[in-house]
Amino acid sequence: MAKMRQILIIGNNDNGCTPELEKTAYDAGKHVAESNSVLITGGLGGVMKAASHGAKDGGGLTIGIIPQDDASLANEFCDIVIPSGMGLSRDFLNALSADGVIVVGGGSGTLSEICAAYMYKKPIATIKNSGGMATKYADQYLDHRENVKIIGFDSPKDAVDYILEQTKS
């Protein structure tokens, strides 16, 4: 049996997550599920919860890799919870577990995950109009190494389609 594609959706936690960001993340999660890919998130609130909710409504499998050591802290839409106990270091685990990454808004924690994915040359798509790190780093490289260009999209579906195309086997 072939390994299922794993797509990480990252962005704002509860703090700063607007209804518009939740809708964008929900739609992205649903498209991930409909592509028969596994959704990975940081397992908590905001974008992570909305994406997981969308993936569940789309009939998909969801994994939440949380920074705490208590699985009960994950959002209710996570099928599989990995309580890393690693604190913010779990950002690298999230990025390395993914075949590709989609960014919806986001602050410094999101940037940490973008940097980890970038260093390991994972394809990264952003939703350009979602603000935060997604808008700031759309359509550019993070540094002179030009490991992978971060590509911005106007819709969650286009971002998911890009990751699917970049991660075909």
Side-chain angles (χ1 to χ4, degrees), residues 105-164:
S108 61
T110 301
L111 179 57
S112 173
E113 289 169 302
I114 292 170
C115 289
Y118 181 85
M119 289 189 301
Y120 287 95
K121 301 179 182 175
K122 305 284 182 165
I124 304 168
T126 75
I127 309 301
K128 291 192 284 192
N129 62 353
S130 63
M133 298 301 122
T135 299
K136 183 173 179 106
Y137 291 104
D139 299 319
Q140 62 182 309
Y141 297 97
L142 285 183
D143 66 15
H144 66 281
R145 290 174 283 199
E146 298 185 356
N147 285 347
V148 62
K149 190 169 187 180
I150 299 166
I151 307 296
F153 294 91
D154 293 323
S155 77
K157 182 178 183 335
D158 290 342
V160 172
D161 287 346
Y162 171 76
I163 296 298
L164 296 174

Side-chain angles (χ1 to χ4, degrees), residues 45-56:
V47 163
M48 298 170 278
K49 181 177 180 178
S52 298
H53 187 178
K56 289 305 299 170

Side-chain angles (χ1 to χ4, degrees), residues 20-135:
E20 294 81 18
L21 287 177
E22 288 178 358
K23 169 85 169 87
T24 299
Y26 177 93
D27 291 346
K30 191 167 186 186
H31 290 302
V32 167
E34 290 169 347
S35 76
N36 200 33
S37 300
V38 175
L39 174 73
I40 300 173
T41 72
L44 301 176
V47 163
M48 298 170 278
K49 181 177 180 178
S52 298
H53 187 178
K56 289 305 299 170
D57 285 355
L61 177 66
T62 62
I63 299 173
I65 304 173
I66 64 172
Q68 300 92 344
D69 61 2
D70 180 356
S72 72
L73 297 174
N75 73 65
E76 67 270 28
F77 301 105
C78 293
D79 293 312
I80 298 168
V81 177
I82 300 172
S84 73
M86 298 172 68
L88 298 176
S89 299
R90 79 79 155 83
D91 292 353
F92 273 80
L93 184 57
N94 289 355
L96 286 169
S97 297
D99 296 309
V101 180
I102 297 171
V103 186
V104 180
S108 61
T110 301
L111 179 57
S112 173
E113 289 169 302
I114 292 170
C115 289
Y118 181 85
M119 289 189 301
Y120 287 95
K121 301 179 182 175
K122 305 284 182 165
I124 304 168
T126 75
I127 309 301
K128 291 192 284 192
N129 62 353
S130 63
M133 298 301 122
T135 299

